[in-house]
C-alpha cells in the first residue's frame, strides 16, 4: 500500500494542517451573511435585517447540498485512497463535481420560479416582503457558485490542499466585504447592493475552486469520471447525508422559528419585527461558533477516513479525541462571550430601541446557554460519517435540530409564549450532547476490539 501522510504523520500536526484552513473557510462562509447583516443593519435598519433572516434558509439549503455532495465525495475518495483503490477514488471526485454543479443550477431555477411563495413561507411580513424579494431574487444567481465553492472545498482538502481551499473562500469574502459598503452606501443601491456584492464574491470563489478541481493532484480525473453513475452518486449521497441533514434541519428550524417569532412576537410587547430581526442576528452570530466546530470536524474527516480505510484504528480514535477536545475549548470561549457581551455583539448590527436590545440580550443568554457542550454533536456526527457509518452520522445530525429542537419550538411557546423559543435551545443542546457521548462510548469499545484483533 502506498505511504501517505494521513497514515504516518502525527495526529496533532495533521489536524492543525487540515482543520485550520477548514475553520477559516467555514468562517468565511459564515461571514458572507454576517457582513451583509452588519452593513444592511446600519444602512437600512431592522426591516432589512429581518429580510435577510427570511432569506437565510436558502443559504442554508445551498450549504446542505454542498456538504451532501462535497463531504460525501471527499469521504469516499479518502476511504478509497486509504484502501489503495485510486481509480475508484477518481470516479467519486468526478461524480461529486457533476452533482455540485447540477444541483446549484437546479436550485437557482426553482427559487426564481417560486420566489414570492418561498419568502412568505419563510416568515416574511408585510413590512419585510419587498426587501426579501429584492435580496433573494439577486442572490439566487450566486447559488451555483456558492454550492460549488463550499462543496468543492471539501474535495480540495481531501486532495491534500487545505490551504488552497482556504484561499478560495477567503478571496470571495474579501470581494464581498469590499463591495458591500461601496454598493450600499457609495452607489446607494440598498438591499440590491448587498446582494450583488455577495454574488460577486461567490463567483470568484466558485471559479477558483473549479480551476483546481480540473487540475486534481492525487488522481488524474478522466472525462468518463464526470459522467454520473447511479451507484457512485448514491454512495456519495450516503456519506454526505449526515452533514446535509444537519443543514436541512437548521433550515427547517429557521423557518419554524421565523414563523413562531412573528406569531408570538405579535402577541408580546416586542411586536413582529424585533424578534424576527434579533433571532436572525443571533443565529448568524452562533454560526461563527459552529463554523469553528464544523471546520474542525471537516479537518478531521480525511484523517479519519484514510486511517479507517487503512485499518489503523488507534489513529482513528486519537484523531477524534483531539478534535473533540479542541471543539470543547472553543465552545467554552464562545459560551463566555455570549453570556458576558450580548449587547456589545448585537450593537455591531445597527441601532434599535431599548426593547430591541432587552429582547436580544435575553435571547442570547437563554437560547445559547448550553453552547459549552455544543461542540460534541457535530464532531461526533462527522466522525461516524468519516468511517463510512452513514446511518449513525445521520442520526447524530438529526438529534439537536429535528428530534429535539423542532418539537420544543412548537410545544414550549404554547405554554410560555415567545420565551418558550428561548428555553427550547438549551434543552435540545443538552439532550443531543448526552446522546452523542453514549454513541461514542459504544464506538470506542468497537474500535478497541478491532485494534486488538488486528494486533493478534
Amino acid at each position: 500500500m502506498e505511504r501517505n501522510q494521513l497514515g504516518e504523520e502525527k495526529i496533532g500536526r495533521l489536524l492543525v494542517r487540515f482543520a485550520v484552513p477548514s475553520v477559516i473557510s467555514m468562517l468565511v462562509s459564515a461571514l458572507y451573511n454576517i457582513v451583509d447583516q452588519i452593513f444592511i443593519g446600519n444602512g437600512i435598519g431592522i426591516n432589512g435585517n429581518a429580510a435577510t433572516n427570511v432569506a437565510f434558509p436558502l443559504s442554508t439549503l445551498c450549504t446542505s447540498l454542498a456538504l451532501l455532495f462535497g463531504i460525501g465525495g471527499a469521504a469516499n475518495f479518502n476511504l478509497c485512497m486509504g484502501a489503495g483503490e485510486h481509480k475508484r477514488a477518481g470516479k467519486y471526485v468526478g461524480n461529486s463535481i457533476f452533482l455540485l454543479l447540477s444541483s446549484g443550477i437546479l436550485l437557482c431555477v426553482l427559487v426564481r420560479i417560486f420566489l414570492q411563495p418561498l419568502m412568505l413561507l419563510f416568515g416574511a411580513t408585510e413590512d419585510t416582503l419587498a426587501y426579501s424579494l429584492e435580496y433573494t431574487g439577486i442572490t439566487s444567481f450566486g447559488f451555483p457558485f456558492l454550492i460549488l465553492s463550499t462543496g468543492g472545498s471539501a474535495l480540495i482538502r481531501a486532495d491534500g490542499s487545505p490551504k488552497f481551499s482556504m484561499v478560495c473562500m477567503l478571496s470571495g469574502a474579501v470581494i464581498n466585504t469590499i463591495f458591500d459598503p461601496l454598493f450600499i452606501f457609495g452607489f446607494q443601491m440598498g438591499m440590491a447592493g448587498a446582494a450583488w456584492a455577495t454574488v460577486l464574491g461567490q463567483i470568484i470563489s466558485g471559479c477558483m475552486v473549479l480551476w483546481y478541481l480540473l487540475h486534481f493532484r492525487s488522481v488524474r480525473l478522466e472525462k468518463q469520471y464526470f459522467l454520473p453513475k447511479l451507484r457512485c452518486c448514491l454512495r456519495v449521497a450516503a456519506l454526505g447525508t449526515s452533514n446535509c441533514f444537519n443543514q436541512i434541519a437548521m433550515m427547517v428550524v429557521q423557518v419554524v422559528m421565523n414563523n413562531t417569532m412573528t406569531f408570538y412576537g405579535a402577541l408580546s410587547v416586542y411586536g413582529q419585527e424585533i424578534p424576527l430581526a434579533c433571532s436572525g442576528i443571533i443565529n448568524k452570530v452562533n454560526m461563527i461558533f459552529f463554523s469553528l466546530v464544523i471546520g474542525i470536524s471537516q479537518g478531521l474527516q480525511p484523517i479519519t477516513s484514510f486511517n479507517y480505510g487503512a485499518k489503523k484504528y488507534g489513529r482513528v480514535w486519537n484523531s477524534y479525541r483531539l478534535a473533540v477536545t479542541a471543539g470543547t475549548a472553543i465552545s467554552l470561549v464562545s459560551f463566555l462571550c455570549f453570556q458576558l457581551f450580548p449587547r456589545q455583539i448585537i450593537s455591531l448590527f445597527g441601532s434599535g430601541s431599548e426593547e430591541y436590545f432587552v429582547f436580544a440580550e435575553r435571547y442570547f443568554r437563554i437560547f445559547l446557554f448550553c453552547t459549552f457542550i455544543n461542540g460534541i454533536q457535530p464532531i461526533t456526527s462527522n466522525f461516524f460519517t468519516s468511517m463510512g457509518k452513514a446511518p449513525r452520522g445521520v442520526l447524530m445530525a438529526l438529534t439537536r435540530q429535528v428530534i429535539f429542537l423542532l418539537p420544543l419550538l412548537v410545544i414550549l411557546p404554547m405554554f410560555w409564549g415567545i420565551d418558550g423559543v428561548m428555553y427550547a435551545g438549551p434543552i435540545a443542546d443538552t439532550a443531543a450532547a448526552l446522546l452523542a457521548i453514549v454513541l461514542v462510548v459504544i464506538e470506542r469499545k468497537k474500535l478497541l476490539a478491532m485494534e486488538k484483533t488486528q494486533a493478534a
Side-chain angles (χ1 to χ4, degrees):
M1 185 181 297
E2 186 179 334
R3 295 174 66 86
N4 189 295
Q5 61 173 348
L6 293 170
E8 304 294 335
E9 197 169 333
K10 289 184 178 180
I11 295 295
R13 191 174 299 168
L14 279 174
L15 190 60
V16 170
R17 181 181 301 174
F18 283 87
V20 170
S22 180
V23 165
I24 294 174
S25 296
M26 291 302 298
L27 276 175
V28 166
S29 181
L31 285 174
Y32 271 114
N33 295 289
I34 292 287
V35 168
D36 279 353
Q37 194 94 49
I38 290 173
F39 286 119
I40 288 171
N42 286 280
I44 298 169
I46 291 177
N47 286 339
N49 270 334
T52 60
N53 188 28
V54 171
F56 187 61
L58 289 174
S59 296
T60 307
L61 180 58
C62 287
T63 304
S64 71
L65 291 170
L67 296 182
L68 175 66
F69 303 129
I71 294 294
N76 278 291
F77 170 79
N78 287 126
L79 285 168
C80 290
M81 291 296 287
E85 300 174 351
H86 292 190
K87 185 175 181 180
R88 192 169 168 220
K91 291 180 180 179
Y92 281 120
V93 174
N95 274 243
S96 296
I97 295 171
F98 169 82
L99 291 168
L100 289 168
L101 287 169
S102 57
S103 63
I105 294 169
L106 179 61
L107 181 62
C108 174
V109 172
L110 291 176
V111 168
R112 298 199 62 78
I113 293 173
F114 301 106
L115 183 58
Q116 183 160 331
L118 284 171
M119 295 299 95
L120 293 172
L121 175 66
F122 293 165
T125 65
E126 183 178 347
D127 293 336
T128 61
L129 180 59
Y131 290 116
S132 303
L133 292 172
E134 183 178 24
Y135 184 79
T136 311
I138 296 170
T139 54
S140 62
F141 289 117
F143 288 169
F145 299 96
L146 174 59
I147 291 173
L148 177 63
S149 60
T150 305
S153 291
L155 297 173
I156 294 173
R157 288 192 299 272
D159 191 41
S161 301
K163 289 183 180 179
F164 188 86
S165 170
M166 174 188 69
V167 170
C168 291
M169 299 300 293
L170 191 58
S171 299
V174 170
I175 294 294
N176 184 34
T177 304
I178 292 173
F179 282 95
D180 247 330
L182 180 63
F183 287 171
I184 294 174
F185 301 110
F187 296 160
Q188 299 294 310
M189 293 173 66
M191 292 292 287
W196 281 119
T198 298
V199 171
L200 282 176
Q202 291 166 349
I203 290 173
I204 296 297
S205 292
C207 289
M208 291 177 68
V209 166
L210 183 60
W211 177 86
Y212 182 96
L213 294 176
L214 295 177
H215 299 82
F216 216 67
R217 298 190 326 173
S218 299
V219 295
R220 182 179 178 181
L221 298 182
E222 300 177 13
K223 291 182 179 179
Q224 61 265 30
Y225 292 173
F226 295 92
L227 297 176
K229 302 292 183 182
L230 181 60
R231 182 178 296 179
C232 193
C233 290
L234 290 175
R235 182 65 179 169
V236 167
L239 293 192
T241 298
S242 65
N243 291 274
C244 173
F245 276 17
N246 196 36
Q247 295 293 319
I248 290 290
M250 288 172 62
M251 185 189 75
V252 173
V253 167
Q254 186 67 45
V255 172
V256 172
M257 186 175 290
N258 286 351
N259 285 279
T260 303
M261 285 295 190
T262 54
F263 179 80
Y264 288 100
L267 303 177
S268 71
V269 296
Y270 304 111
Q272 289 183 317
E273 275 70 37
I274 286 178
L276 186 60
C278 287
S279 67
I281 291 170
I282 291 166
N283 285 342
K284 289 177 183 178
V285 171
N286 193 34
M287 271 186 61
I288 295 179
F289 156 68
F290 269 110
S291 295
L292 295 170
V293 173
I294 292 173
I296 291 173
S297 74
Q298 289 184 359
L300 172 70
Q301 179 269 311
I303 304 169
T304 302
S305 294
F306 183 92
N307 284 286
Y308 193 81
K311 299 182 180 179
K312 297 183 177 182
Y313 303 117
R315 290 175 62 83
V316 170
W317 174 252
N318 288 336
S319 62
Y320 169 79
R321 184 178 60 185
L322 186 58
V324 84
T325 300
T328 301
I330 291 171
S331 301
L332 288 169
V333 173
S334 300
F335 166 77
L336 292 174
C337 291
F338 295 158
Q339 295 299 312
L340 297 176
F341 310 112
R343 181 174 285 249
Q344 290 85 343
I345 295 172
I346 204 74
S347 296
L348 295 173
F349 298 87
S351 59
S353 64
E354 183 60 25
E355 290 169 336
Y356 168 78
F357 283 106
V358 167
F359 180 83
E361 287 185 55
R362 292 191 69 237
Y363 195 107
F364 250 120
R365 290 195 169 113
I366 297 174
F367 190 78
L368 301 180
F369 183 77
C370 286
T371 299
F372 60 91
I373 56 172
N374 277 353
I376 300 172
Q377 181 255 346
I379 291 175
T380 303
S381 175
N382 210 32
F383 176 61
F384 285 120
T385 299
S386 300
M387 294 186 292
K389 300 186 178 185
R392 290 192 182 183
V394 171
L395 174 63
M396 284 307 310
L398 292 177
T399 51
R400 180 183 182 271
Q401 300 289 337
V402 174
I403 298 175
F404 299 128
L405 183 57
L406 195 57
L408 290 170
L409 285 175
V410 175
I411 296 170
L412 294 186
M414 294 180 182
F415 300 97
W416 297 337
I418 202 163
D419 285 357
V421 177
M422 303 183 197
Y423 288 104
I427 296 173
D429 292 340
T430 302
L434 290 175
L435 180 59
I437 291 170
V438 170
L439 291 179
V440 162
V441 169
I442 295 172
E443 188 62 33
R444 168 61 171 158
K445 293 179 180 178
K446 292 181 179 179
L447 288 172
L448 282 173
M450 289 189 292
E451 191 175 8
K452 290 179 180 178
T453 301
Q454 191 173 12

